[in-house]
Amino acid sequence: MRANYASLKSELTKHLSPVVVVQNNAVGGRFTLIDKGVQVETVDPVPEYFELAKSIAHVPLGVYSVIAAYLSDKVPNIANAERIDPHDLDMVAFKPAGDTGWITPLTGFRSTLATARTKLPTANLPTDLAASSDKILTEAIKFIDTAVGAKSFDMVAFNQFAATVYPSIRVNMTAAATAQITGIEALMKRWRARIGEQAWSDLYVMVLSIWTTAELNQASIIIRRTMNQAKVNTHLIDLPTAETPADPIGVALENLARIVQDNVAAEMVFNAALDVADALKGKEDLLSKEILQQIGGTAPAHTAAFGAAAAGTCPITGRTATA
């Protein structure tokens, strides 16, 4: 059975059409159009300033990445201290007290920031984005100079630095979002005209991401409104992966082939039990309800981190399961 299932899936990948595969990357996403089994075009459609705006917005995270292991392993008396899990902090702050191994890499990062700041005037950025980027870089350099000079830092000082630059980070986030919306929507419009309305109405989109960006994925949000709204809930598929795959197109098509063949199989094999058919067509394991029944448990509630469909509703078909 498994060999035949795999054979069907392998052959089906050659007939999937039309499909857009989205790879999330540092420049706003790489998009590939597949039509009639042929990879028509691969494009990075987002304007260049997206990467600059987002990279500079991440500078506080870059500083954190250098100093985190050298933090005190005790949560200090700061605003919202209760939001920091003491056990998480204890694991992250794994360097011994007094270790100054952070000074060399942080000094190197400072050089990178200083170089970036000198190049801002020639980057042809909008005035507000240039100003916010300069503010972030300047404050980061100031924090680094103070820490290196004292050969010491703490979470309180870092939090003050982060709070100071947050308004500027918001400006950069706005600019990055605008760039991404503009670039992706223009590409979708061009591809829609290329393959025609009939084909576009059946478009599948596979968005590859890692777990941390799978929920409310930026590319998915933008693409959603360009698709056939009658099918978008079943044809726009977010595919979280543990790591960026070596062959993203192959991974996307293999998973889509499984989804498509299971969509048909579900209605044929489980036509007498639509709730089981919905499970096969969706993310629910076929044995999950049986296991819960036998152990006397209930399905865990979905959290904001994982998203949620309406209670008792299949996220793929929208049908309500019946006992």
Side-chain angles (χ1 to χ4, degrees):
M1 177 270 179
R2 290 181 179 177
N4 291 332
Y5 183 93
S7 177
L8 172 62
K9 183 175 64 174
S10 177
E11 288 298 314
L12 179 55
T13 59
K14 305 170 188 176
H15 301 277
L16 298 170
S17 179
V19 183
V20 169
V21 177
V22 182
Q23 305 166 55
N24 283 280
N25 60 18
V27 297
R30 173 160 294 177
F31 294 69
T32 299
L33 173 64
I34 299 165
D35 188 31
K36 299 179 177 64
V38 176
Q39 292 187 31
V40 177
E41 187 178 10
T42 296
V43 182
D44 296 339
V46 179
E48 289 184 3
Y49 73 84
F50 167 89
E51 183 178 12
L52 180 59
K54 194 171 180 182
S55 295
I56 293 177
H58 277 83
V59 163
L61 184 59
V63 174
Y64 162 84
S65 299
V66 176
I67 67 175
Y70 301 88
L71 287 165
S72 167
D73 59 2
K74 300 294 186 294
V75 179
N77 183 22
I78 57 175
N80 303 314
E82 71 281 358
R83 292 173 58 88
I84 300 175
D85 186 316
H87 180 57
D88 286 353
L89 176 60
D90 183 58
M91 290 189 289
V92 169
F94 53 80
K95 293 290 187 178
D99 190 328
T100 57
W102 53 273
I103 291 179
T104 297
L106 193 60
T107 301
F109 189 49
R110 183 204 187 281
S111 297
T112 300
L113 301 182
T115 299
R117 187 172 60 172
T118 61
K119 293 183 177 180
L120 280 179
T122 60
N124 296 318
L125 298 177
T127 303
D128 59 343
L129 178 57
S132 62
S133 296
D134 182 75
K135 174 70 172 179
I136 295 168
L137 293 170
T138 298
E139 292 296 331
I141 290 171
K142 187 187 302 183
F143 171 82
I144 292 171
D145 287 346
T146 300
V148 171
K151 295 184 179 180
S152 177
F153 65 87
D154 57 27
M155 192 181 293
V156 173
F158 180 86
N159 280 17
Q160 290 172 345
F161 150 62
T164 298
V165 299
Y166 180 70
S168 297
I169 289 174
R170 293 299 310 182
V171 174
N172 283 45
M173 291 171 67
T174 298
T178 299
Q180 200 164 29
I181 293 168
T182 301
I184 293 174
E185 288 194 340
L187 178 64
M188 294 298 103
K189 182 178 180 179
R190 179 164 67 81
W191 280 352
R192 183 172 187 163
R194 177 168 187 160
I195 68 174
E197 287 298 319
Q198 183 174 352
W200 191 264
S201 68
D202 290 322
L203 176 72
Y204 272 101
V205 177
M206 301 292 289
V207 181
L208 278 66
S209 63
I210 57 174
W211 181 85
T212 53
T213 61
E215 183 70 14
L216 284 179
N217 181 273
Q218 53 202 28
S220 298
I221 294 171
I222 299 168
I223 293 170
R224 170 173 286 274
R225 64 180 185 173
T226 72
M227 296 176 65
N228 177 359
Q229 296 304 294
K231 291 188 175 183
V232 67
N233 288 336
T234 57
H235 283 50
L236 174 58
I237 299 165
D238 288 287
L239 185 64
T241 58
E243 297 287 346
T244 302
D247 179 14
I249 305 298
V251 168
L253 293 181
E254 180 184 12
N255 278 272
L256 180 56
R258 178 188 295 272
I259 290 167
V260 169
Q261 70 188 50
D262 282 357
N263 284 347
V264 178
E267 302 302 334
M268 294 178 65
V269 177
F270 297 116
N271 64 86
L274 297 185
D275 59 328
V276 182
D278 286 345
L280 180 58
K281 295 174 76 169
K283 297 179 180 179
E284 183 180 312
D285 190 285
L286 288 180
L287 288 180
S288 60
K289 286 188 173 65
E290 183 64 32
I291 290 172
L292 287 170
Q293 182 176 347
Q294 291 190 27
I295 66 175
T298 57
H302 288 282
T303 66
F306 294 94
T313 301
C314 173
I316 301 298
T317 65
R319 289 204 293 255
T320 301
T322 56

